[in-house]
Amino acid sequence: MKKLFRILAITLLMLILGLFVFYLIKNESLPQGTDGPEADNLALEMMESLNKSAWDTTSEVSWTFKGIYHYEWNRTENSVLVKWDENEVLLNTINQTGVVIHPEKIREEGKEKLIKQAFDYFNNDSFWLCAPFKAFDPGTERSLIIFKDGREGLKITYTSGGSTPGDSYVWILDDNHKPKSVKMWVSILPLGGMEFTWENYLTLKSGAMIAQDHILYNGVNIDLSQIN
């Protein structure tokens, strides 16, 4: 029994050591950038590569996030229906209010909790849908950066808005200024600089382009499905 405990202790220690080494290797400090017209122009080119003008005229869009959370977003009426598990919540995206549609019988404090959950889900999951189009949202700052590996990036920092103001994202673009990946410095992720691909683009009926797959370390995929 003592031998078994010793083996388990050594295994646990090695796991902790491995995680610590992984953290040291993968965790990156937020790079400083240079703001100004060049950064703003690159942000405009990024948005145009995905047909920002078409996104602006997209009145409705629906999608499912990782097969769990489903959204029906009426951008004209500033409303979004959020569905997960047995829950359905209709949100007003302008005045930050909501109505619980299902379950119908629920205490008031339960309704408030579901509405807040729905807003948090929507703020996060709509990022994966349309983040490149939000480079000039109120409270954003843009700058150009160069990584140690020589790659150039467009840094967008959200100083206000959403569920986690203060988050920063650095977009890596291809030769046509289309996003290939994004590196993140956000409060909900344990490591700074985690890089997700931005790939498998789908063109909406309006003409706007949406990335369906966002892969981390060639493994985890933050996928969007049923986009319409």
Side-chain angles (χ1 to χ4, degrees):
M1 184 63 71
K2 290 183 178 180
K3 184 177 181 180
L4 176 60
F5 284 148
R6 189 179 299 113
I7 293 173
L8 291 175
I10 293 173
T11 301
L12 179 60
L13 180 61
M14 293 298 293
L15 177 61
I16 293 173
L17 180 60
L19 291 174
F20 179 69
V21 172
F22 180 82
Y23 177 84
L24 291 179
I25 294 175
K26 294 295 185 180
N27 189 54
E28 301 178 26
S29 299
L30 178 64
Q32 298 301 309
T34 303
D35 59 5
E38 288 188 17
D40 289 348
N41 288 337
L42 184 57
L44 289 170
E45 290 173 331
M46 175 183 70
M47 293 192 298
E48 281 309 305
S49 74
L50 302 179
N51 205 342
K52 172 64 160 55
S53 58
W55 172 254
D56 290 340
T57 63
T58 301
S59 58
E60 296 181 346
V61 60
S62 61
W63 77 101
T64 298
F65 179 82
K66 290 189 65 65
I68 302 173
Y69 307 99
H70 182 71
Y71 301 88
E72 298 173 13
W73 188 6
N74 188 320
R75 301 181 68 235
T76 302
E77 297 182 358
N78 300 308
S79 66
V80 58
L81 179 64
V82 186
K83 300 179 182 179
W84 75 100
D85 297 331
E86 77 283 2
N87 304 302
E88 292 187 26
V89 181
L90 182 63
L91 303 175
N92 183 305
T93 59
I94 296 297
N95 61 24
Q96 301 286 293
T97 60
V99 177
V100 175
I101 297 176
H102 190 78
E104 296 178 359
K105 296 181 179 180
I106 185 172
R107 291 185 175 182
E108 193 61 35
E109 58 269 24
K111 290 182 181 180
E112 293 177 1
K113 180 179 179 180
L114 282 179
I115 291 170
K116 184 181 185 307
Q117 282 183 325
F119 267 115
D120 288 342
Y121 293 151
F122 173 68
N123 286 337
N124 177 77
D125 301 353
S126 61
F127 168 87
W128 299 95
L129 178 79
C130 60
F133 299 129
K134 298 171 66 63
F136 286 88
D137 275 10
T140 55
E141 297 177 346
R142 293 154 297 282
S143 60
L144 299 178
I145 65 98
I146 298 179
F147 291 107
K148 293 180 180 179
D149 60 11
R151 292 186 299 172
E152 296 180 348
L154 170 66
K155 183 171 75 170
I156 309 294
T157 297
Y158 294 82
T159 61
S160 62
S163 298
T164 55
D167 291 348
S168 291
Y169 307 85
V170 178
W171 294 96
I172 312 298
L173 311 178
D174 67 13
D175 293 339
N176 296 315
H177 307 118
K178 182 186 294 185
K180 296 192 300 183
S181 64
V182 63
K183 295 173 73 69
M184 302 184 182
W185 283 262
V186 298
S187 60
I188 63 173
L189 294 178
L191 300 175
M194 295 178 73
E195 184 171 357
F196 293 82
T197 66
W198 217 261
E199 58 182 282
N200 189 16
Y201 281 92
L202 170 74
T203 301
L204 300 178
K205 295 176 182 178
S206 65
M209 299 180 68
I210 302 295
Q212 299 176 92
D213 294 317
H214 313 87
I215 300 171
L216 171 70
Y217 302 140
N218 294 317
V220 178
N221 186 10
I222 307 298
D223 64 290
L224 307 182
S225 59
Q226 299 178 297
I227 302 175
N228 191 14

